Amino acid sequence: MTVAVTGAAGYIGSHVAHLLAETGVHVLAVDDMSSGVGSRIDAFPLVELDLARDEAPGVLRAAFAQHQVQAVVHLAARKAVGESVEQPTRYYHQNVAGLANLLTAMQSSGVDRLVFSSSAAAYGMPDVDVVDEAMACAPINPYGETKLVGEWLVRAAARATGLRAVSLRYFNVAGTGRPELADTSVANLVPILLARVAEGLPAAVFGDDYPTPDGTCVRDYVHVADLADAHVAALGYLEQDDRPYDVLNVGTGHGASVLDVVASLSRALGHPVPTVVEPRRAGDPPRLVASVERISEVLGWRAARDLDDICASVVPARA
Ligand code: UFG
């Protein structure tokens, strides 16, 4: 079987691509290489393509036919929340028009299985202990909006064309499955902490007066290797007939505060990481933790790794 992985040169996409290859699947990488790293996908044929361009459906159709693609994992997207606030048009164009082009190509090529990379950002600021997939979504930035609109588009295509699809709502993805695939962008808490340590700076804690046990924001940190496993499970699920469209959280079900992450990283490093409290960051929900009941029922998937595994995995990668 051949699976096209869009965004394969990215941090998460490359983990998915390599895990698929390990399971015997042929991978066709699709990436515009705007932020991807070429060495992550040396092992795979590459279609270098911006999915939002007008010619994308035709290019994809030819590539799907040439490589006999049977399913797609679609991760290619812009994902910086702050940037999405400044450049909403670009985000809608890249994330929604790109997806529409992909779906057009899939339909006309007879490729009828899709795993769509969505985000917990679709939920917005839910005031609950754990969020489940039936909860109303109210994204608070254009990035989250494009992911929710993407889910709707996938759902509509599934109803209209018989596409079999699953949307995976990623929570806070961190860690590395292998050093060469490590997250090289310094955009999220764990890589930011590592960068601060490397520079001899204390960890900045954005607010310690939230209504949480230690006052810092709580998130659900899921190991990227577990997340990759969830994609493989989702593709297996879609191989069976009559699978209705579904949306599934991908998290651990456990919350960790910013200070919990600092403590775990300190254990992994073998020395304490000092902290400095800074003002709250705009738009941070105090708590965002997944209910993982549904993904466990539907895919039989549960995270096998915890926060200490995440932090241990990134320390040798950065050493
Ligand atoms: N934080 C700090 N100090 C830092 C960096 C982050 O205290 O130097 C805090 C943030 O305020 C937040 C937590 O660490 O409370 C996690 O922040 P991230 O920026 O790593 O992640 P977010 O929860 O803001 O968002 C991430 C992804 C989104 C995704 C979301 C899903 O960036 O794309 O998880 O839960 F939608």
Side-chain angles (χ1 to χ4, degrees):
M1 171 156 99
T2 301
V3 175
V5 178
T6 76
Y11 157 58
I12 298 173
S14 62
H15 279 87
V16 171
H18 282 273
L19 186 64
L20 283 171
E22 273 175 29
T23 68
V25 166
H26 294 284
V27 170
L28 175 65
V30 180
D31 203 298
D32 68 3
M33 301 310 292
S34 61
S35 58
V37 177
S39 58
R40 290 177 177 149
I41 50 164
D42 280 347
F44 312 119
L46 168 67
V47 179
E48 191 168 338
L49 177 67
D50 175 350
L51 293 175
R53 291 177 70 95
D54 289 345
E55 66 268 28
V59 174
L60 286 175
R61 259 193 301 275
F64 289 171
Q66 185 192 343
H67 295 273
Q68 296 177 304
V69 167
Q70 287 153 293
V72 176
V73 179
H74 177 50
L75 301 102
R78 309 302 313 170
K79 64 166 189 177
V81 170
E83 193 180 60
S84 80
V85 175
E86 287 153 21
Q87 305 174 24
T89 315
R90 176 169 173 234
Y91 268 66
Y92 270 82
H93 184 65
Q94 287 288 314
N95 293 2
V96 180
L99 172 62
N101 280 342
L102 172 67
L103 290 169
T104 300
M106 288 178 69
Q107 191 186 353
S108 56
S109 305
V111 179
D112 66 353
R113 278 170 273 163
L114 173 68
V115 179
F116 174 59
S117 158
S118 186
S119 170
Y123 289 113
M125 304 271 273
D127 187 16
V128 290
D129 278 352
V130 292
V131 276
D132 68 59
E133 296 85 345
M135 284 188 55
C137 287
I140 58 160
N141 52 62
Y143 166 69
E145 290 166 11
T146 64
K147 287 296 175 183
L148 185 57
V149 171
E151 289 185 8
W152 292 343
L153 177 51
V154 171
R155 183 181 62 190
R159 284 179 182 155
T161 69
L163 174 76
R164 303 181 208 180
V166 171
S167 293
L168 299 179
R169 286 185 184 152
Y170 306 170
F171 280 65
N172 289 60
V173 185
T176 182
R178 31 175 119 189
E180 63 275 21
L181 306 183
D183 188 1
T184 49
S185 67
V186 185
N188 290 111
L189 179 62
V190 172
I192 289 172
L193 292 179
L194 282 167
R196 301 275 294 193
V197 169
E199 289 168 44
L201 297 170
V205 176
F206 297 152
D208 68 349
D209 57 352
Y210 284 97
T212 60
D214 66 18
T216 68
C217 285
V218 171
R219 295 287 181 274
D220 187 333
Y221 294 89
V222 58
H223 196 299
V224 68
D226 282 330
L227 176 65
D229 284 336
H231 289 76
V232 173
L235 280 169
Y237 167 81
L238 294 177
E239 270 176 38
Q240 302 165 47
D241 288 335
D242 295 328
R243 292 304 188 186
Y245 170 71
D246 221 324
V247 180
L248 304 170
N249 287 342
V250 192
T252 65
H254 300 291
S257 71
V258 175
L259 292 181
D260 290 334
V261 177
V262 171
S264 177
L265 188 64
S266 299
R267 285 191 290 276
L269 288 165
H271 62 78
V273 174
T275 57
V276 58
V277 177
E278 294 192 0
R280 288 182 176 198
R281 197 176 65 175
D284 262 341
R287 181 181 169 88
L288 194 58
V289 177
S291 162
V292 291
E293 297 311 312
R294 184 146 185 82
I295 192 167
S296 168
E297 276 166 29
V298 174
L299 299 186
W301 174 92
R302 270 193 187 271
R305 299 159 182 90
D306 64 13
L307 181 60
D308 281 345
D309 295 319
I310 288 173
C311 290
S313 77
V314 294
V315 166
R318 296 280 173 149

